[in-house]
C-alpha cells in the first residue's frame, strides 16, 4: 500500500469537497439547488491522483455521502429540531429528489477514484 498516494488522494478529496460545498452554498444563495456538487467535486478532487487501493475509493464514497448530508442539513435543517443528530435520524423523511441528489454525489465520489485505481492496475506505466 502506498500511503503517500492515499494521502494525496484524500487531500484532493478534501479540497474538492470544500469547493463543492462552497459552490453548493453559493448556488443556494442564488436560488439554485446542486446537492450533488459537494460529493461529486470531492470525487473529482480525489481523482486528480490515482488511488493505489480501492479502499480509498470506498472511503471517498462514504465521505461524499456524509458531505452531502451535512450540506443539506446546513441549509435546510428540520424545523422540529435543528440538530445534526435529529437530521441524520430522520433522513428517510427527506424528499426523494434530495435523497437521489445525495446518492448521485456519493456515487460520483466513489466512482471517480475507483476508475482511477482501475486505470493504474491495468496500465502500471
Amino acid at each position: 500500500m502506498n500511503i503517500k498516494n492515499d494521502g494525496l488522494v484524500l487531500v484532493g478529496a478534501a479540497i474538492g469537497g470544500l469547493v463543492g460545498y462552497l459552490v453548493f452554498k453559493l448556488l443556494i444563495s442564488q436560488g439554485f439547488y446542486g446537492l450533488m456538487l459537494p460529493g461529486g467535486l470531492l470525487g473529482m478532487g480525489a481523482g486528480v491522483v490515482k488511488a493505489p487501493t480501492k479502499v480509498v475509493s470506498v472511503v471517498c464514497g462514504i465521505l461524499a455521502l456524509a458531505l452531502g448530508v451535512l450540506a443539506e442539513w446546513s441549509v435546510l435543517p428540520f424545523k422540529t429540531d435543528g440538530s445534526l443528530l435529529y437530521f441524520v435520524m430522520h433522513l428517510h423523511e427527506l424528499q426523494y429528489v434530495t435523497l437521489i441528489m445525495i446518492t448521485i454525489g456519493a456515487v460520483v465520489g466513489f466512482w471517480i477514484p475507483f476508475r482511477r485505481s482501475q486505470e493504474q492496475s491495468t496500465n502500471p506505466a
Side-chain angles (χ1 to χ4, degrees):
M1 177 161 64
N2 189 338
I3 293 176
K4 179 181 177 187
N5 278 2
D6 285 345
L8 289 174
V9 170
L10 294 176
V11 167
I15 293 169
L18 177 62
V19 169
Y21 179 78
L22 294 175
V23 170
F24 169 70
K25 295 282 276 192
L26 176 68
L27 287 176
I28 283 288
S29 73
Q30 299 299 312
F32 297 102
Y33 189 69
L35 187 55
M36 75 283 289
L37 287 174
L41 290 179
L42 181 146
M44 290 178 77
V48 171
V49 178
K50 290 183 182 179
T53 64
K54 291 170 186 57
V55 173
V56 176
S57 305
V58 172
V59 169
C60 287
I62 292 168
L63 290 173
L65 177 65
L67 184 57
V69 170
L70 184 66
E72 177 66 14
W73 168 75
S74 73
V75 296
L76 293 169
F78 285 111
K79 292 178 183 176
T80 308
D81 182 346
S83 71
L84 180 59
L85 179 61
Y86 184 86
F87 189 85
V88 170
M89 298 296 287
H90 292 84
L91 280 175
H92 62 280
E93 296 176 16
L94 294 175
Q95 293 180 358
Y96 289 124
V97 172
T98 300
L99 295 173
I100 289 168
M101 292 179 91
I102 291 171
T103 303
I104 290 170
V107 168
V108 172
F110 163 78
W111 187 252
I112 292 176
F114 178 77
R115 283 299 294 163
R116 295 283 287 157
S117 71
Q118 293 292 92
E119 290 172 8
Q120 182 178 7
S121 63
T122 58
N123 186 10

